[in-house]
Amino acid sequence: MPALVGFLWLISYWLIGEVVVHFTGLPVSSGVVGMLLLSITLALHGRVPGSIAAAAQPLIALLAMLIMPGVVGVFFILDELAGQWPAILCALVVGTLLSVTTTLWLLKRLMESQHAR
Amino acid sequence: MPASSPLDILSATPLFAVGLTLAAFLLGNLAFKRLKKPTWLPAILMAALLLAATLAVIGLPYERYREDARWLTILLGPATVALGMPLYQQLPHIRVLWRPITICLPIAASLAACYAVMIAWLLGSPPLILASLAAKSVTAPIAIGITEQIGGSVALLLGALLVTGVATAAFTGIAARLLKIEDERIIGFALGLNGHAIGTVRAFEIGPTAGAFASLGMSLTGIFTALLLPLAWRLIGVGG
């Protein structure tokens, strides 16, 4: 039963997010607003209630399954984007190589300058 | 009137699509464990290949499958909210290194999106593709929301997430060696920031510290990108 209580909390935060997004017109998804509100609530509360953990942990563990119906879709647009794939793959692979290197180098420099103080 | 085929009877209920998804997911995970968890072939990719092949063989149209699988995907909403819990649990790590992290995060997370979008743009990709690649380093549930906001294709985005995650897991170790970086916190943060959940799994293989910093990098990148990318997209007017 605690998991059900936690699940109701998660749904409520998502619904609050939906209302906030509707009235503010923020270009953010309801899930992200709900996530931020949940972490703020937890920070104010100072700990994670058992009911939230009981609902959140299994849901997070199932995330990969929840996105599967979407992932399968990529195999059905292979033809639609024929001719675009070399550019897409190049952008992803080279872009990732560049951004990984930038992140490593930048954080190393920043941490060194922190220690130097 | 021809007798209705077994497929018609089964696919009359959404439970068929839900069952297929669960079966493919479990089999994909089983195969992943049997193959000793290869980084270059994540469990979800194997499961998705299996599911796509099954749909093609039994002749169930993808649109129809996706519609029925909504019984599962509706849970993505509360699951995204649930990510607020690990985010809260990462707060102590931020306190230790808040200065380097608050400077590094906005620059690195913006570049993660910009590099790929710029390269695709230079190679002549249309706006739909640019919008689908922009959230490539963001964890899937958040990235789906971002991509819907800026008008990209969610299917292409999810493919891009897989390629990015695998590439990050492969490159980070090599790049760290070239830059002579041994600090697990830096390697972990880079894995999570660029490679979302797939990078974070790789970080936990390196060690718990790397894993914790990867989770932190993944959460912060997700929030930062979710808050700023749709706004930036609107300002630049990439979509037209």
Side-chain angles (χ1 to χ4, degrees):
Chain A
M1 212 53 89
L4 216 51
V5 175
F7 190 54
L8 181 57
W9 275 110
L10 297 180
I11 291 178
S12 308
Y13 273 94
W14 188 86
L15 292 172
I16 296 171
E18 190 81 350
V19 173
V20 169
V21 168
H22 180 83
F23 283 106
T24 57
L26 284 172
V28 183
S29 75
S30 322
V32 170
V33 174
M35 175 183 78
L36 286 175
L37 290 176
L38 177 66
S39 57
I40 292 169
T41 313
L42 293 175
L44 292 175
H45 191 60
R47 62 181 185 86
V48 180
S51 59
I52 299 278
Q57 266 157 4
L59 266 181
I60 293 171
L62 284 179
L63 270 173
M65 190 192 68
L66 298 180
I67 62 165
M68 264 203 24
V71 174
V72 174
V74 80
F75 299 111
F76 294 89
I77 55 166
L78 288 177
D79 294 341
E80 227 171 279
L81 296 174
Q84 305 282 356
W85 289 109
I88 293 172
L89 285 175
C90 177
L92 290 172
V93 175
V94 178
T96 302
L97 185 57
L98 289 173
S99 76
V100 164
T101 314
T102 313
T103 312
L104 287 169
W105 177 81
L106 186 63
L107 191 55
K108 184 188 175 201
R109 285 290 304 268
L110 289 167
M111 283 174 60
E112 279 168 359
S113 68
Q114 189 188 36
H115 288 304
R117 268 162 216 274
Chain B
M1 192 178 128
S4 46
S5 71
L7 178 68
D8 289 335
I9 300 168
L10 287 173
S11 61
T13 155
L15 278 176
F16 184 59
V18 172
L20 278 182
T21 313
L22 289 180
F25 178 72
L26 293 172
L27 283 171
N29 274 302
L30 193 69
F32 184 66
K33 273 186 198 135
R34 282 284 161 81
L35 294 171
K36 304 206 170 71
K37 310 192 173 186
T39 311
W40 52 273
L41 187 58
I44 176 146
L45 182 53
M46 282 193 264
L49 277 168
L50 187 65
L51 187 52
T54 310
L55 293 182
V57 169
I58 64 174
L60 183 65
Y62 173 66
E63 303 305 325
R64 176 94 180 280
Y65 160 77
R66 199 184 52 183
E67 193 53 40
D68 287 351
R70 266 188 65 82
W71 289 81
L72 278 177
T73 49
I74 190 116
L75 286 173
L76 265 176
T80 311
V81 176
L83 291 175
M85 183 184 79
L87 173 64
Y88 158 72
Q89 290 164 333
Q90 298 308 325
L91 287 178
H93 294 300
I94 306 183
R95 287 198 199 104
V96 182
L97 286 174
W98 70 272
R99 239 190 114 89
I101 285 176
T102 42
I103 302 173
C104 178
L105 178 87
I107 302 173
S110 307
L111 286 176
C114 286
Y115 282 137
V117 172
M118 283 301 286
I119 294 171
W121 181 71
L122 289 173
L123 293 175
S125 297
L128 172 77
I129 291 184
L130 300 183
S132 314
L133 300 185
K136 74 172 191 48
S137 284
V138 176
T139 187
I142 301 180
I144 291 172
I146 298 174
T147 305
E148 284 169 350
Q149 292 279 348
I150 63 177
S153 147
V154 171
L156 180 54
L157 159 81
L158 291 168
L161 286 180
L162 284 177
V163 175
T164 304
V166 172
T168 303
F171 292 151
T172 306
I174 302 167
R177 235 169 289 144
L178 290 176
L179 292 166
K180 297 188 175 58
I181 294 171
E182 282 169 8
D183 191 332
E184 274 194 21
R185 297 174 301 180
I186 300 180
I187 298 173
F189 195 74
L191 277 167
L193 188 149
N194 293 289
H196 52 93
I198 299 177
T200 303
V201 169
R202 174 79 195 93
F204 273 107
E205 289 170 7
I206 297 174
T209 311
F213 275 84
S215 312
L216 178 67
M218 177 175 82
S219 313
L220 295 179
T221 304
I223 296 166
F224 177 81
T225 315
L227 294 179
L228 290 182
L229 183 66
L231 202 63
W233 209 259
R234 207 182 272 176
L235 289 177
I236 304 168
V238 195

